């Protein structure tokens, strides 16, 4: 709630008029927001979202299937090109931690017990999800034309790399290493592509 209120205050002070049209909401879960939108049932696709980000959340959720279904229901649906207001649909980004021996060693043993970056018990390895599991959940949500969401681009691993000069941690995308952190993109439109984003394999 505090973050949303702060963002709203900054938007009111900004000279960019586009920011004044943003509806900042805080303290509302995606499930509650989906219930609000679906209860209105206006059928107005323009009221739905172009982009939804569910980043580093589902591994902490009590019911990740319900969370992802709610997020999917808020995503813009494709509108045919011959329509007065064509739209190729929205994009859902999901990032989480893969359930692999490597993720247990790094994200739990390493980050929580050895280095102490996170409090012990922050993560539960059994709640980590593979890309295939998330893809299956999203395929089976009750979405556009009775079908769910499909993957837009190959899933990418999110790889940290220490910059020895600045002594800061930098992140890169690597489609060949999704063993720990990974991110995927999904849409109602199976042909949708992400323009302007290119994955780069971090240098050794």
């Amino acid at each position: 709630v505090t973050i949303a209120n702060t963002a709203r205050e900054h938007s009111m002070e900004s000279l960019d008029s586009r920011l004044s049209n943003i509806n900042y909401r805080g303290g509302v879960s995606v499930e509650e927001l989906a219930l609000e939108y679906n209860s209105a049932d206006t059928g107005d696709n323009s009221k739905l979202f172009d982009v939804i980000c569910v980043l580093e959340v589902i591994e902490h959720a009590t019911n990740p299937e319900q969370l992802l279904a709610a997020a999917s229901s808020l995503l813009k649906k494709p509108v045919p090109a011959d329509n007065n207001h064509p739209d190729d649909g929205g994009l859902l980004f999901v990032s989480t931690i893969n359930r692999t021996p490597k993720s247990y060693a790094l994200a739990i043993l390493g980050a929580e017990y050895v280095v102490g970056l996170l409090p012990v018990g922050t993560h539960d390895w059994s709640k980590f999800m593979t890309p295939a599991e998330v893809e299956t959940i999203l395929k089976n949500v009750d979405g556009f034309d009775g079908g769910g969401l499909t993957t837009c681009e190959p899933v990418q691993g999110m790889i940290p790399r220490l910059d020895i000069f600045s002594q800061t941690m930098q992140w890169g995308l690597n489609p060949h290493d999704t063993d720990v952190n990974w991110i995927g993109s999904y849409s109602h439109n199976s042909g949708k592509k992400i323009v302007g984003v290119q994955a780069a394999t971090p240098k050794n």
Side-chain angles (χ1 to χ4, degrees):
V1 175
T2 301
I3 296 175
N5 289 338
T6 301
R8 187 181 299 108
E9 290 171 3
H10 281 294
S11 69
M12 295 173 64
E13 297 169 359
S14 174
L15 297 177
D16 189 340
S17 59
R18 294 173 300 178
L19 297 180
S20 62
N21 295 322
I22 299 176
N23 180 17
Y24 294 96
R25 301 287 295 274
V28 180
S29 71
V30 66
E31 292 92 343
E32 292 169 335
L33 196 61
L35 182 62
E36 176 185 322
Y37 272 68
N38 293 330
S39 296
D41 194 25
T42 63
D44 188 352
N45 196 49
S46 67
K47 299 295 184 181
L48 298 176
F49 294 85
D50 294 297
V51 176
I52 297 176
C53 297
V54 182
L55 308 179
E56 309 303 310
V57 172
I58 60 174
E59 68 270 23
H60 303 287
T62 303
N63 191 331
E65 293 84 0
Q66 184 177 10
L67 188 154
L68 290 172
S72 301
S73 72
L74 292 167
L75 204 62
K76 273 189 177 179
K77 314 301 188 291
V79 178
D82 57 357
N83 189 280
N84 290 332
H85 303 284
D87 197 310
D88 62 354
L91 272 172
L92 170 65
F93 291 94
V94 177
S95 71
T96 188
I97 306 176
N98 205 343
R99 193 175 62 259
T100 63
K102 184 177 176 181
S103 71
Y104 183 82
L106 295 179
I108 295 182
L109 293 181
E112 296 183 16
Y113 288 89
V114 178
V115 183
L117 291 176
L118 299 168
V120 172
T122 297
H123 292 116
D124 180 346
W125 186 77
S126 66
K127 290 188 175 182
F128 292 173
M129 301 189 75
T130 69
E133 288 171 338
V134 170
E135 182 177 355
T136 298
I137 291 172
L138 292 173
K139 277 184 177 179
N140 292 323
V141 297
D142 185 16
F144 175 71
D145 279 348
L149 274 62
T150 57
T151 305
C152 296
E153 301 283 356
V155 168
Q156 302 281 335
M158 299 190 295
I159 312 300
R161 178 171 59 91
L162 178 65
D163 188 307
I164 59 174
F165 297 104
S166 64
Q167 291 297 301
T168 58
M169 193 69 75
Q170 299 181 357
W171 291 80
L173 297 178
N174 186 344
H176 306 296
D177 186 356
T178 59
D179 291 341
V180 187
N181 294 82
W182 63 270
I183 186 168
S185 56
Y186 310 88
S187 175
H188 292 288
N189 182 356
S190 59
K192 190 174 181 67
K193 298 296 181 183
I194 303 173
V195 179
V197 178
Q198 184 176 6
T201 303
K203 298 178 181 178
N204 296 325

